[in-house]
Amino acid sequence: MDSDRHTARTEAGWPVAADLTDPRCADPSFGGPQVTLLATARHLLPVPSTVVLVGSPARWRAATAESTEWWASCPVAGPAPAGGPVPGLALLDGPVTARAWLAVGRYAGQLGPVFHNVGPDALGEVLTEFGGLGTRLSRPGEAARLVVSLQSFLPADVSVTVAVEQPGGPVRVCAHWGVDEDLGPVPQRHKLEFSWPGLTVRRYRLLHQATAALPAAGGTRLVGIPAQLRGAPPLSVDQAGALAAICGRFAERREVGVEWDVVLRSGEAFLVACRLR
């Protein structure tokens, strides 16, 4: 496989950007299975504006060596609405959540952590870090692609993970207040498990959440949860059941086990990431 098959040379020879609505994002050989799942499921739940940067590790090295702000003028591959290339980041508004994977063929493994609330002043540093990881972890002669998703950051009132181990199996819903960050070694997630297809509650576990991650300058910070919320469920059984139904049907149609990351903001649910189980 040609490592640059999906990264047709731009004027600067950099990685190319594609909006999530670009048909190539539905092809695992472009952005990997995580991007493909998100592109496929975006019709079921709204997804924040998302731009995907794809290129071989060599192209990422070349871009980083040329400019720490190369991403600001990275053109969207394919025709723009006005007939010419537009900067990929022009499709985003404000800070972003950045995720990265090293893809080989149709497989992609996650690189590094997920960075939330990254502003333009720090984005070059984050992309350089991802580029370094991709370079170190790619093997000589391997047709690898470094894939980075830049998604408009959505401050979460509640973060939810919905998981289906296998099509037709039970659906697990875990939720906690705030942004989806590591809250430490003590479990702090509200958990429900639904049968499929009946969506009967099989298990219900409410944990007292002591801390939450909230947006801060250039990232997030951990804060204490008000006492009245520590024992309160971050989402109701009806809300969890509605998300379980959508994810369960998606897993059946795709015939795969899946895991979704969902953000609740002002009562509305947004799909922000997908993974294979």
Side-chain angles (χ1 to χ4, degrees), residues 131-265:
L133 284 171
T135 297
R136 289 196 297 273
L137 295 177
S138 59
R139 299 173 182 174
E142 184 178 60
R145 308 180 310 283
L146 176 57
V147 180
V148 174
S149 163
L150 300 177
Q151 184 178 83
S152 292
F153 173 65
L154 193 62
D157 297 326
V158 176
S159 294
V160 186
T161 301
V162 188
V164 183
E165 291 288 345
Q166 57 185 6
V171 186
R172 293 197 307 274
V173 180
C174 300
H176 61 80
W177 299 104
V179 178
D180 189 14
E181 292 273 16
D182 184 1
L183 300 179
V186 179
Q188 299 190 61
R189 306 192 82 189
H190 177 54
K191 298 182 180 182
L192 296 100
E193 184 176 295
F194 296 88
S195 64
W196 186 265
L199 291 176
T200 302
V201 177
R202 296 176 49 178
R203 297 179 184 173
Y204 186 106
R205 185 180 181 187
L206 179 59
L207 297 180
H208 285 230
Q209 184 177 342
T211 59
L214 298 181
T220 60
R221 62 189 177 95
L222 287 181
V223 300
I225 291 284
Q228 65 270 24
L229 292 182
R230 290 183 185 177
L235 77 169
S236 68
V237 172
D238 287 345
Q239 287 175 310
L243 294 174
I246 298 170
C247 188
R249 287 194 296 269
F250 179 79
E252 280 196 329
R253 285 198 302 270
R254 300 286 294 183
E255 298 183 335
V256 293
V258 295
E259 184 172 285
W260 285 4
D261 290 339
V262 177
V263 161
L264 296 187
R265 180 70 178 169

Side-chain angles (χ1 to χ4, degrees), residues 84-96:
V86 297
L89 271 292
L91 301 174
L92 302 174
D93 182 21
V96 301

Side-chain angles (χ1 to χ4, degrees), residues 16-28:
V16 295
D19 183 77
L20 189 66
T21 61
D22 187 307
R24 290 170 306 162
C25 287
D27 179 358

